[in-house]
Tab-separated table of all heavy atoms in Angstrom:
chain	number	residue	atom	x	y	z
A	46	VAL	N	-10.916	62.075	-35.411
A	46	VAL	CA	-9.686	62.755	-35.002
A	46	VAL	C	-9.429	62.600	-33.511
A	46	VAL	O	-8.293	62.365	-33.084
A	46	VAL	CB	-9.751	64.259	-35.369
A	46	VAL	CG1	-8.537	64.995	-34.860
A	46	VAL	CG2	-9.895	64.423	-36.863
A	47	ASN	N	-10.469	62.710	-32.705
A	47	ASN	CA	-10.302	62.656	-31.246
A	47	ASN	C	-9.833	61.296	-30.766
A	47	ASN	O	-9.068	61.190	-29.823
A	47	ASN	CB	-11.610	63.027	-30.556
A	47	ASN	CG	-12.019	64.457	-30.859
A	47	ASN	OD1	-11.171	65.313	-31.024
A	47	ASN	ND2	-13.306	64.693	-30.947
A	48	ALA	N	-10.297	60.243	-31.410
A	48	ALA	CA	-9.970	58.896	-30.940
A	48	ALA	C	-8.683	58.330	-31.543
A	48	ALA	O	-8.142	57.368	-31.014
A	48	ALA	CB	-11.126	57.953	-31.248
A	49	ALA	N	-8.176	58.913	-32.616
A	49	ALA	CA	-7.026	58.328	-33.315
A	49	ALA	C	-5.783	58.234	-32.426
A	49	ALA	O	-5.197	57.161	-32.268
A	49	ALA	CB	-6.721	59.128	-34.574
A	50	GLU	N	-5.385	59.349	-31.836
A	50	GLU	CA	-4.174	59.352	-31.011
A	50	GLU	C	-4.371	58.563	-29.719
A	50	GLU	O	-3.489	57.817	-29.302
A	50	GLU	CB	-3.738	60.778	-30.696
A	50	GLU	CG	-2.414	60.832	-29.967
A	50	GLU	CD	-1.900	62.253	-29.804
A	50	GLU	OE1	-2.590	63.200	-30.192
A	50	GLU	OE2	-0.791	62.379	-29.270
A	51	VAL	N	-5.534	58.701	-29.104
A	51	VAL	CA	-5.813	57.975	-27.857
A	51	VAL	C	-5.794	56.464	-28.097
A	51	VAL	O	-5.188	55.706	-27.339
A	51	VAL	CB	-7.171	58.421	-27.274
A	51	VAL	CG1	-7.554	57.574	-26.078
A	51	VAL	CG2	-7.125	59.879	-26.897
A	52	THR	N	-6.428	56.035	-29.174
A	52	THR	CA	-6.459	54.612	-29.500
A	52	THR	C	-5.057	54.087	-29.781
A	52	THR	O	-4.675	53.014	-29.307
A	52	THR	CB	-7.365	54.363	-30.723
A	52	THR	OG1	-8.665	54.842	-30.431
A	52	THR	CG2	-7.413	52.899	-31.067
A	53	LEU	N	-4.296	54.847	-30.543
A	53	LEU	CA	-2.934	54.425	-30.862
A	53	LEU	C	-2.066	54.328	-29.608
A	53	LEU	O	-1.326	53.355	-29.433
A	53	LEU	CB	-2.316	55.390	-31.861
A	53	LEU	CG	-0.931	55.027	-32.359
A	53	LEU	CD1	-0.905	53.628	-32.954
A	53	LEU	CD2	-0.459	56.042	-33.369
A	54	ARG	N	-2.181	55.273	-28.715
A	54	ARG	CA	-1.400	55.208	-27.468
A	54	ARG	C	-1.851	54.037	-26.583
A	54	ARG	O	-1.022	53.393	-25.944
A	54	ARG	CB	-1.487	56.528	-26.722
A	54	ARG	CG	-0.759	57.646	-27.450
A	54	ARG	CD	-0.522	58.847	-26.572
A	54	ARG	NE	0.096	59.924	-27.314
A	54	ARG	CZ	1.409	60.059	-27.501
A	54	ARG	NH1	2.241	59.172	-26.997
A	54	ARG	NH2	1.890	61.071	-28.182
A	55	ASP	N	-3.139	53.757	-26.572
A	55	ASP	CA	-3.629	52.587	-25.826
A	55	ASP	C	-3.072	51.290	-26.396
A	55	ASP	O	-2.684	50.390	-25.656
A	55	ASP	CB	-5.158	52.542	-25.838
A	55	ASP	CG	-5.786	53.615	-24.961
A	55	ASP	OD1	-5.069	54.189	-24.118
A	55	ASP	OD2	-6.997	53.875	-25.139
A	56	VAL	N	-3.029	51.188	-27.721
A	56	VAL	CA	-2.477	49.986	-28.369
A	56	VAL	C	-0.989	49.865	-28.072
A	56	VAL	O	-0.487	48.774	-27.801
A	56	VAL	CB	-2.759	50.011	-29.891
A	56	VAL	CG1	-1.978	48.940	-30.613
A	56	VAL	CG2	-4.240	49.855	-30.159
A	57	LEU	N	-0.273	50.965	-28.109
A	57	LEU	CA	1.159	50.940	-27.779
A	57	LEU	C	1.390	50.492	-26.341
A	57	LEU	O	2.300	49.709	-26.062
A	57	LEU	CB	1.775	52.323	-27.991
A	57	LEU	CG	2.017	52.749	-29.422
A	57	LEU	CD1	2.326	54.235	-29.483
A	57	LEU	CD2	3.140	51.948	-30.024
A	58	PHE	N	0.577	50.981	-25.425
A	58	PHE	CA	0.715	50.614	-24.019
A	58	PHE	C	0.374	49.143	-23.794
A	58	PHE	O	1.032	48.449	-23.018
A	58	PHE	CB	-0.169	51.511	-23.155
A	58	PHE	CG	-0.080	51.204	-21.697
A	58	PHE	CD1	1.048	51.547	-20.970
A	58	PHE	CD2	-1.117	50.554	-21.040
A	58	PHE	CE1	1.145	51.259	-19.620
A	58	PHE	CE2	-1.031	50.259	-19.692
A	58	PHE	CZ	0.105	50.615	-18.982
A	59	ALA	N	-0.645	48.641	-24.477
A	59	ALA	CA	-1.082	47.257	-24.285
A	59	ALA	C	-0.150	46.251	-24.954
A	59	ALA	O	-0.115	45.093	-24.569
A	59	ALA	CB	-2.501	47.076	-24.828
A	60	ASN	N	0.633	46.683	-25.944
A	60	ASN	CA	1.528	45.793	-26.689
A	60	ASN	C	2.930	46.385	-26.717
A	60	ASN	O	3.369	46.912	-27.743
A	60	ASN	CB	1.010	45.616	-28.125
A	60	ASN	CG	-0.387	45.079	-28.158
A	60	ASN	OD1	-0.606	43.920	-27.875
A	60	ASN	ND2	-1.345	45.938	-28.467
Side-chain angles (χ1 to χ4, degrees):
V46 176
N47 297 327
E50 186 173 3
V51 173
T52 302
L53 184 55
R54 291 195 184 274
D55 288 344
V56 169
L57 285 167
F58 180 73
N60 303 287

